[in-house]
Amino acid sequence: MIHFNLPPLTGNEEKYVLESMKNTKISGDGSFSKRCHQWFEEHLPCKKALLTTSCTHALEMAAILIDIKEGDEVIMPSFTFVSTANAFVLRGAKVVFVDIRADTMNIDETKIESAITPKTKAIVAVHYAGVGCEMDTIMEIALKHNLFVIEDAAQGMMSKYKNRTLGTIGHIGAYSFHETKNYTSGGEGGLLIINDESFIHRAEIVREKGTNRSQFFRGITDKYTWVDVGSSYLLNDFSASFLFAQLETADKINTNRLNSWKQYYELLSPLASKGLIELPTVPTECIHNAHMFYLKVKDLDTRTKLLEQFKKEEIGAVFHYVPLHSSPAGIAFGEFRGDDIYTTKESERLIRLPMYYGLSTAQIQEVVKVLNRFYGY
Ligand SMILES: *Cc1c(COP(=O)(O)O)cnc(C)c1O
């Protein structure tokens, strides 16, 4: 049996979690959270990094920080996770879906401008599979129309676009440390990345239930009181300690995943050159993090049969998002603007193969063998 995903463990997680248990402060912003924040602020780099309970919550914070209100429109791809949309819908926005590019499954930057109206407030760039969106074009459009750019970089930690780390290019970025992502804080967790200084002050308040607690602890204010809307978005320090062990070994995890990705790519190239499958595309300006290895088959019918075969062989291969615009909530809260040329068609033929830190060459060969047999080789 080969799992689709296994959460990474690189060695020091246990030690740090035990250490954090013995600390006198185990709630948010304890000693391990501080070490994580410092790591991110140095390595990304960014103006401010704040650990959150999830990427979902980091996106919700972003929607509050850019003041999303009833009636605003937010442009995003339909091929994404529900949290990308929910964060803005919760503030009363309407989500406007535009088509994706077939090569990267990312938002098609050439379709954004025609979806903009006077109500548009932001563009959300989702970096699918940790491969960067065409950020220069997206930032130019945003500047021209006075819009915010939020990067949903849930899958994008350690990836780059033109030598800039994903999540640090837009006004605000978000990472996920869910167990299915490349780095985890022990199951659930996220990061809010602030690249525009003007959001820092309010971000600290929103994250601390709408209070000025952070400033109070730093001695900036002498009273601790309710000053704005907010919620409880802080990650507990146990989770931060688990994550810190992974940050210290971030390159090791990244290299290991990239090696697996390259092995899949090479071993599957013969099937691709015969035109039986399509392999993922990474544009030359992007450095990816091997968040996933996906391939595309001919159509939905072929995918269903192939997934059945993988299931029989006890191999965890899965499909991915059902496009949001065709979901009940997507219909209620959103609208697809422009033509759906690729979103539905490409999503129906995509399959994700097992991918995690520590996946062995033998396991990769076994997965490839199933594919070869399926296609008669
Ligand atoms: C995983 C994921 C999320 C949600 O992350 P959580 O940390 O589980 O809230 C949001 N957007 C994308 C694109 C994701 O892949």
Side-chain angles (χ1 to χ4, degrees), residues 359-372:
L359 184 68
S360 72
T361 302
Q363 288 171 317
I364 293 169
Q365 286 165 342
E366 205 181 316
V367 175
V368 171
K369 213 185 282 171
V370 173
L371 276 156
N372 282 334

Side-chain angles (χ1 to χ4, degrees), residues 54-56 59 80-81 83-84 126 152 154-155 176-178 181 188-189 321:
S54 63
C55 177
T56 300
L59 291 167
T80 183
F81 189 58
S83 298
T84 318
V126 183
D152 180 344
Q155 306 171 11
S176 171
F177 305 124
H178 186 262
K181 301 295 164 33
E188 306 277 355
Y321 311 126

